Amino acid sequence: MRILVVDDDPLAGEMIGALLEFQGYDVLLANDAMEAISQLDAHDTIALIVSDMHMPLVSGIELLNMLREQGVTLPFILLTGDTPDETLRQTPGLSACLQKDAALDTSLGHAVAQAVGE
Amino acid sequence: MSPSAPSLHDKLNQLRQRFIEQLPARLQHITEQWQQSRASTEAEARLGPELHRFFHSLKGTGRSLGFERIALLADQGETALNEPTPSAHVIERVFVQLAEEQQRLQSLPGQQRALAALNSVEFAPTPIKTRSKRQRLIYLCDDEPDQVGQLLHHLRCFGHEVVHFEDTDAFFNAVISRRPDAIIMDVQFPQGNTAGTETLTSLNKLTGERLPAIVLSAHGDFHSRLSAVRAGCNGYFTKPVKPLDLMLAVDELTTPLDDEPLRVLVVDDEPEVAAYHALLLEQAGMVVQQVNHPSDALTALERFSPDLLLVDVYMPVCSGEELANIIRQQPEHVGLPIIYLSSETDSQKQLSAMTAGVEAFITKPVVPEELVSAVQLRAERLRLLRSLMTRDSMTGLYNHSTTTDLISKALAQAHRDNTQHAMAMIDIDHFKAVNDTHGHLAGDQVIITLSRLLKTRLRMSDIIGRYGGEEFVVLLKGVSDERASELIDGLRHDFAQVDFHAGGAHFRCTFSAGISSFPIQPSTESLRLSADQALYRAKHQGRNQVVTSTEQDDDGFPTARL
């Protein structure tokens, strides 16, 4: 299964990618929302999106809204440096909202499995 | 672990190294941006978001990679920026501290320590898995080496994994990356009279958890004790500490509450109704099994061994009342709580149902909270009763009759599966002399210590019982007599090293053990007899040893015990 990881911090993107690859997923990286959109256009095999919240120009949640407006219904997991608040969690169309912390490897694995309905 | 495990590990370590290496350039860049942003309000508005993102990203990435201090500093920076008028002083201080932390991580020892602390933890579940359920990870932080050696020995003796730290910084970082089950902390360190407890306080604040901790101090003064209470400590010991007391305190601190979920069997001929009730109970955290035919209830009782039975009164074939009577006729289910469910509101009829020994009557449709609380209350009470009935009150081990029952069950199973088990009979040497010389409290201490040792070092699946007095019996499952003998001998060796204190005196104790094995001995009774004979030989040959039973014991050699 192929996952698109969107993060403006290349190191963070790589780390998230490494965690997901370790769990057996195929990973594509994008540095911002624009790159994410073009990756999605180029690869129709992408089954899920994991995106950072705070990115320049277009935030993770704005990216989600953009995609939903375009009719893209792929599961979408949002990552944030803060403890996610309730309103963010409740965003329609969001599969999960996770905090970036040392437990990310397990929490992300669970969220991905849940989002794709395993 | 799968072969890809080390590669993820390596990859993450590479990322960590790169993160540290890149940090000075990022700091340099952002410091310049900060300076510029202070030139005009226009620049401030333009660069604000970038500054904000810098801290935010540093926090997220730092935390994900396990650099908790960097994340903490970044968080301080972010908070300061969010103020209506950001304090230049705070932000610049954060820059300086980030640079210092970067240098610490960059320096070889700092980096190695940080990586070593990280490597032992997350992403590599192996070290945690190898610890048995009762083994604990304990951090001991004390800068006085002479005190520590003995403590370490005792804690390890009980199978705990102990890591010793000489300074609070190394300890701090270790806790951040891997939480211990318990902490033993000295109060005084060279950098401050309450540096130990202060470290705990800031860790509790940072992690938002209350870390289970015991404090050691050279002083019993009010100020030291107060600092321990403020740090949320669970115990306070003044030095010199008796290792055994400390060990027992750690044990108490780390023994989890009995959180095994309650088990409920639902008997209802209507599957949808049964499923609905099951769902209500499951949502309250119970484990539920459903049966739709009363005739299946007995097998389910046997296999599922529930804490409570929830029965529909009106069922075809066999009514709930009849089912309750059938169940009550079997001695092993006499105490099982039964709750009836029915749409019967006539209290006279309800009363007649009660005569079958039913605990409660709930009318359908049920009020969810009512059902849950009725079930919880009765099931928990039965559990408590059961544990009082089956366990020895001093040690919490199984009592004589329960041990025998459990062993017989295990053997019945082993007959079917063709597995082997080993039994050990263990008896404390010269126990009477301990009681006579040092008093009964000292004797109790020895018994409790041995029972804790057995509990922590043997597996959860092994059956451990106190047979009476100073005698213990253990069934080691799936183990040959040779392996059992090695295991028990390891325990014997460690038990002999434990220092007991009574009044001003201190003493040591030993035990002897006899081993027998199944299926050479095919029944509980013959296993016990044979282990007993081996134990007798161990005593006879000078005690403090483990003897394995040989065929000879059964072939008419003198076996009489005095």
Side-chain angles (χ1 to χ4, degrees), chain B residues 409-443:
Chain B
K409 272 191 190 158
L411 294 189
Q413 184 69 36
H415 270 298
R416 290 194 289 274
D417 306 345
N418 254 334
T419 45
Q420 59 173 354
H421 295 322
M423 179 190 272
M425 296 284 294
I426 298 171
D427 192 280
I428 299 170
D429 297 326
H430 300 298
F431 185 71
K432 193 173 175 303
V434 172
N435 270 338
D436 291 348
T437 320
H438 304 288
H440 284 284
L441 284 178

Side-chain angles (χ1 to χ4, degrees), chain A residues 3-10 13 27-40 50-52 55 63:
Chain A
I3 298 178
L4 178 65
V5 173
V6 193
D7 200 314
D8 62 312
D9 181 347
V27 175
L28 287 174
L29 296 178
N31 280 323
D32 56 44
M34 295 310 138
E35 213 179 294
I37 302 272
S38 51
Q39 288 273 34
L40 283 166
V50 175
S51 170
D52 187 30
M55 294 187 290
L63 172 64

Side-chain angles (χ1 to χ4, degrees), chain A:
Chain A
M1 195 182 96
R2 183 167 274 184
I3 298 178
L4 178 65
V5 173
V6 193
D7 200 314
D8 62 312
D9 181 347
L11 207 102
E14 257 189 79
M15 181 203 64
I16 295 156
L19 295 177
L20 290 168
E21 272 168 7
F22 172 64
Q23 284 162 6
Y25 300 107
D26 187 17
V27 175
L28 287 174
L29 296 178
N31 280 323
D32 56 44
M34 295 310 138
E35 213 179 294
I37 302 272
S38 51
Q39 288 273 34
L40 283 166
D41 286 340
H43 305 272
D44 54 3
T45 49
I46 292 171
L48 184 141
I49 301 162
V50 175
S51 170
D52 187 30
M53 174 64 192
H54 292 266
M55 294 187 290
L57 304 175
V58 182
S59 76
I61 209 80
E62 284 160 352
L63 172 64
L64 170 67
N65 291 334
M66 257 164 71
L67 292 173
R68 294 297 182 245
E69 271 169 30
Q70 294 177 7
V72 180
T73 54
L74 293 177
F76 193 101
I77 296 173
L78 196 64
L79 303 180
T80 163
D82 298 308
T83 317
D85 63 40
E86 214 36 49
T87 37
L88 192 59
R89 279 177 187 284
Q90 299 301 330
T91 311
L94 192 61
S95 311
C97 186
L98 306 174
Q99 186 180 6
K100 284 188 181 177
D101 58 21
L104 192 64
D105 62 333
T106 43
S107 56
L108 185 60
H110 284 308
V112 169
Q114 212 167 35
V116 296
E118 278 171 18

Side-chain angles (χ1 to χ4, degrees), chain A residues 7-12 14-16 18-19 21-22 52-57 80-83 99-105, chain B residues 1-2 4-5 8 11-12 15-16 18-19 22 26 52-53 56-61 63-66 68 75 78 122-123:
Chain A
D7 200 314
D8 62 312
D9 181 347
L11 207 102
E14 257 189 79
M15 181 203 64
I16 295 156
L19 295 177
E21 272 168 7
F22 172 64
D52 187 30
M53 174 64 192
H54 292 266
M55 294 187 290
L57 304 175
T80 163
D82 298 308
T83 317
Q99 186 180 6
K100 284 188 181 177
D101 58 21
L104 192 64
D105 62 333
Chain B
M1 282 299 299
S2 60
S4 57
L8 173 71
K11 171 93 189 164
L12 287 169
L15 288 169
R16 288 187 180 116
R18 267 174 45 207
F19 179 82
Q22 289 173 2
R26 293 175 76 178
H52 201 275
R53 211 169 42 246
H56 196 84
S57 141
L58 200 62
K59 180 168 77 173
T61 315
R63 187 164 288 156
S64 310
L65 288 173
E68 197 69 34
D75 184 49
E78 195 184 359
E122 74 240 23
F123 315 122

Side-chain angles (χ1 to χ4, degrees), chain B residues 30 40 73 79 104 117 163 189 213 226 238 298 315 323 336 350 396 439-440 454 475 502 511 521 537:
Chain B
I30 205 69
S40 66
L73 289 167
T79 316
R104 192 184 75 81
V163 186
F189 282 87
L226 180 64
T238 43
L298 286 183
M315 291 183 291
L323 181 62
L336 185 72
Q350 287 193 358
H440 284 284
L454 294 172
L475 190 77
F511 69 71
Q521 302 300 335
R537 286 225 313 270

Side-chain angles (χ1 to χ4, degrees), chain B residues 48 102 205 221 226 228 233:
Chain B
Q102 190 276 336
K205 238 184 241 161
D221 65 290
L226 180 64
C233 292

Side-chain angles (χ1 to χ4, degrees), chain B residues 226-227 293:
Chain B
L226 180 64
S227 78
H293 298 284

